[in-house]
C-alpha cells in the first residue's frame, strides 16, 4: 500500500497539484465509507469508474458520488462502441492503483468529467488505496488530468 501512496504523492508534488493526501484507518472503498471516515458530506466525493474500449484503452469516467456513469453516453462522447467496465486486475494494470483507490489523475487514460463535478470547488477522490483519499480543488484536478468535461452520468 505504501508504494501506491508514494506514487500518487510524487505525482502531486511534481505537478504542483493543490491537493491533500490523507491516509485513514478505515476503508474508503465506497463513497459512503469515505464520507463516514472523514465525517463530511457524500456530495463532495467523486467516483472514478474505469472503462475499457474495444482496443483496451483506459477511459476514466469521473462522476459525483451519488451519480452513475452511462457507458452509452461515454461511447457517444468518444464516438466509439460502448465501453465496458474494467476488472480489478485490469484496473491495477492500467492505472497502477487498486480498485477502490484509483485517483482522478496520475496515470495515462482518457479522462471524462461530468459537468456536475465541475460545480464543486473541491472534491474528494481516491488516494491510491482503499485507505486513502485526496482532497483537491476541482480546477487542479482538471489541469492534472486534462479531462474533457462532458455529460456522462445517467
Amino acid at each position: 500500500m505504501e508504494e501506491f501512496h508514494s506514487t500518487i504523492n510524487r505525482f502531486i508534488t511534481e505537478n504542483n497539484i493543490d491537493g491533500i493526501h490523507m491516509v485513514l484507518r478505515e476503508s474508503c472503498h465506497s463513497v459512503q465509507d469515505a464520507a463516514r471516515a472523514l465525517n463530511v458530506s457524500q456530495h463532495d466525493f467523486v467516483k472514478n469508474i474505469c472503462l475499457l474500449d474495444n482496443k483496451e484503452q483506459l477511459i476514466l469516467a469521473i462522476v459525483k458520488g451519488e451519480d452513475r456513469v452511462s457507458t452509452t453516453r461515454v461511447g457517444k462522447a468518444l464516438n466509439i462502441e460502448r465501453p465496458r467496465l474494467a476488472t480489478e486486475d485490469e484496473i491495477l494494470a492500467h492505472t497502477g492503483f487498486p480498485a477502490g483507490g484509483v485517483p482522478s489523475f496520475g496515470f495515462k487514460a482518457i479522462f471524462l468529467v461530468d459537468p456536475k463535478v465541475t460545480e464543486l470547488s473541491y472534491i474528494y477522490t481516491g488516494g491510491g488505496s482503499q485507505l486513502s483519499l485526496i482532497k483537491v480543488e476541482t480546477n487542479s484536478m482538471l489541469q492534472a488530468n486534462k479531462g474533457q468535461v462532458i455529460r456522462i452520468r445517467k
Side-chain angles (χ1 to χ4, degrees):
M1 208 170 329
E2 198 56 41
E3 74 180 77
F4 302 127
H5 297 161
S6 295
T7 299
I8 196 62
N9 278 323
R10 189 169 39 258
F11 186 86
I12 289 169
T13 301
E14 290 172 358
N15 292 278
N16 297 316
I17 297 169
D18 189 13
I20 301 166
H21 185 250
M22 300 168 276
V23 179
L24 307 171
R25 293 183 183 183
E26 43 193 300
S27 174
C28 316
H29 183 78
S30 72
V31 170
Q32 294 81 8
D33 290 344
R36 192 171 30 256
L38 292 179
N39 197 27
V40 296
S41 171
Q42 293 182 31
H43 299 291
D44 296 331
F45 287 82
V46 297
K47 292 190 291 198
N48 300 313
I49 307 301
C50 296
L51 307 169
L52 293 173
D53 67 14
N54 61 0
K55 296 178 182 164
E56 300 298 305
Q57 178 160 0
L58 180 65
I59 302 161
L60 192 77
I62 303 171
V63 295
K64 285 189 68 180
E66 64 266 18
D67 291 331
R68 295 182 61 204
V69 171
S70 166
T71 54
T72 301
R73 286 182 192 260
V74 170
K76 286 181 182 176
L78 297 175
N79 199 25
I80 61 171
E81 289 180 27
R82 196 172 137 198
R84 66 174 177 82
L85 287 172
T87 66
E88 288 190 13
D89 289 341
E90 289 169 330
I91 291 169
L92 183 58
H94 283 275
T95 69
F97 299 100
V102 175
S104 295
F105 48 78
F107 49 89
K108 187 177 181 216
I110 296 170
F111 292 89
L112 301 178
V113 182
D114 191 78
K116 279 179 65 179
V117 171
T118 64
E119 294 171 3
L120 300 170
S121 57
Y122 66 89
I123 57 166
Y124 290 94
T125 184
S129 78
Q130 293 182 6
L131 293 175
S132 63
L133 294 167
I134 298 169
K135 181 179 181 182
V136 62
E137 288 189 10
T138 307
N139 287 336
S140 292
M141 179 265 301
L142 287 168
Q143 289 173 352
N145 67 19
K146 298 176 180 41
Q148 301 173 51
V149 178
I150 190 156
R151 182 169 175 182
I152 53 173
R153 71 184 179 279
K154 286 190 176 186

